[in-house]
Amino acid sequence: MERIDGSTGVRVALVTVLVGLLLLSVAGVSVSARPPPQAVCGVCSDTLVETVADSGVDVSIAASSLSIRIDESGTGHWTARIRLTGDGVETLRENHSLRDRIVQRVPDRGYVAVEEPQSLTTSMHGETLIVEYEVPGMAHESVGGVYVVDFFYWHGGEARWFYLAADSMTMQGPPGTVVSHAPADATTADHAVTWEGRDEQYDPLGVRSHVVFAPDDGVVSSVSTTLGIGIDVAQLKAQDFVAVVAPPDNPRRRCRDAAAVRESAD
C-alpha cells in the first residue's frame, strides 16, 4: 500500500473541502431564478434615456465608452462618455442641476453594476455627456504586490452577471502595473484590458471573472497572480460555507448560553 505522508494528507483534505464548497455554492444558485443582467455602465444604457424622458427631455444615445482606473487603494475611478442626439441635448448642456439630478437617479431604477457611485460629477463637452464617479473596494492588493479586481466576480455578498451597455470599456491598474490576468473574451495590452460591447443579452464580462494587475510580467508575478485569485476564491467559498452551516439565530438559545456563562463565572 502506498503511504501518504502528513503534508499530502493535508493537501488532499484542503482540496476536498474546496471542491465541496464549490459544489455547495453552485447547487445553491438557481439559474432560472437569476435576476436580469446588470448594466456595467448604467448611464450608457437605455436606463439613462428613460430617466431623461421622465423629466420631459428627449435624447438618444449615439455612442458610449467607459474607462476605469484602479488606484493603489483598490478604488475604481470611472469615466463614462455618452454621445447624445435629440432635442434635449441643449437642455442638458445648459441646465447643470437637471443633468445632475437625472444622472443621480439612474442607479435608483435598478439592474446597474454600481448602485451607489461616490463623488459623482457630470459635464458636457459638445454633445457628449461625461459622467465621473468613484467605486471603492473594486480591488485589493494580494501576495506579491498584485491587485486582484474581484468586483465583477463577487461583490456585496452576491454573485452577479453583466452586460456592458457601453460600446467599449477599458480598465487600467495602479501606476506601474501590467495586466497579468483577464477574461478570455477581453483584449489585453501591457497596462489595460478592453472589452467591446455586444448584444445586451450576452454577458461580455463572463458570469464570474477576475482581472489582475501585477508589478511586471515575470514568473514571480505570474505565480502571485494565480495565488491571488486562488486565495480570493477560497475566502469567498469559506464565507459561503460559514453562511450555510452556521445555525440560525435563536433568542432562547442566546439566553441559555448567557445563563451558562454567568453560572460558570459564579
Side-chain angles (χ1 to χ4, degrees):
M1 181 185 298
E2 183 179 358
R3 182 179 179 183
I4 301 178
D5 59 27
S7 61
T8 301
V10 171
R11 288 197 297 271
V12 171
L14 288 174
V15 170
T16 302
V17 170
L18 287 176
V19 170
L21 292 173
L22 285 168
L23 293 175
L24 182 63
S25 65
V26 171
V29 178
S30 171
V31 174
S32 61
R34 187 167 58 179
Q38 294 174 300
V40 174
C41 184
V43 292
C44 303
S45 70
D46 290 340
T47 302
L48 173 68
V49 176
E50 295 166 357
T51 307
V52 172
D54 290 344
S55 298
V57 181
D58 178 31
V59 298
S60 298
I61 296 176
S64 60
S65 64
L66 174 67
S67 62
I68 301 175
R69 177 178 57 84
I70 307 294
D71 67 20
E72 292 89 343
S73 72
T75 296
H77 302 265
W78 295 46
T79 302
R81 293 177 172 85
I82 309 99
R83 183 163 58 84
L84 302 172
T85 61
D87 298 336
V89 174
E90 185 68 22
T91 300
L92 294 182
R93 183 163 47 236
E94 295 180 351
N95 194 329
H96 298 181
S97 60
L98 173 63
R99 185 178 68 230
D100 287 346
R101 288 197 304 271
I102 288 172
V103 171
Q104 289 167 357
R105 287 203 299 265
V106 168
D108 296 337
R109 302 181 77 103
Y111 301 124
V112 295
V114 181
E115 298 175 345
E116 297 181 355
Q118 305 295 308
S119 304
L120 188 149
T121 63
T122 73
S123 60
M124 292 286 294
H125 186 269
E127 297 182 341
T128 299
L129 169 64
I130 301 173
V131 182
E132 298 178 88
Y133 50 96
E134 296 178 354
V135 181
M138 281 193 66
H140 60 272
E141 188 174 2
S142 189
V143 293
V146 302
Y147 287 84
V148 179
V149 183
D150 56 6
F151 181 83
F152 296 110
Y153 180 82
W154 186 272
H155 187 73
E158 61 181 6
R160 303 180 298 171
W161 64 306
F162 308 90
Y163 68 94
L164 192 53
D167 295 320
S168 65
M169 178 178 80
T170 300
M171 182 187 297
Q172 292 183 310
T177 62
V178 299
V179 181
S180 58
H181 182 271
D185 56 1
T187 302
T188 61
D190 286 344
H191 305 285
V193 183
T194 301
W195 291 262
E196 298 296 331
R198 298 185 176 93
D199 183 87
E200 292 188 358
Q201 296 305 312
Y202 179 68
D203 177 10
L205 298 182
V207 173
R208 306 183 75 177
S209 55
H210 285 90
V211 177
V212 183
F213 297 95
D216 53 53
D217 57 1
V219 174
V220 173
S221 290
S222 178
V223 173
S224 297
T225 296
T226 301
L227 286 174
I229 295 174
I231 291 171
D232 190 67
V233 173
Q235 289 175 338
L236 293 172
K237 296 308 173 186
Q239 293 173 17
D240 289 350
F241 180 74
V242 171
V244 171
V245 302
D249 184 43
N250 188 320
R252 293 183 178 178
R253 180 175 179 177
R254 278 206 312 269
C255 292
R256 290 198 303 268
D257 292 343
V261 170
R262 288 195 299 270
E263 290 177 1
S264 62
D266 295 338

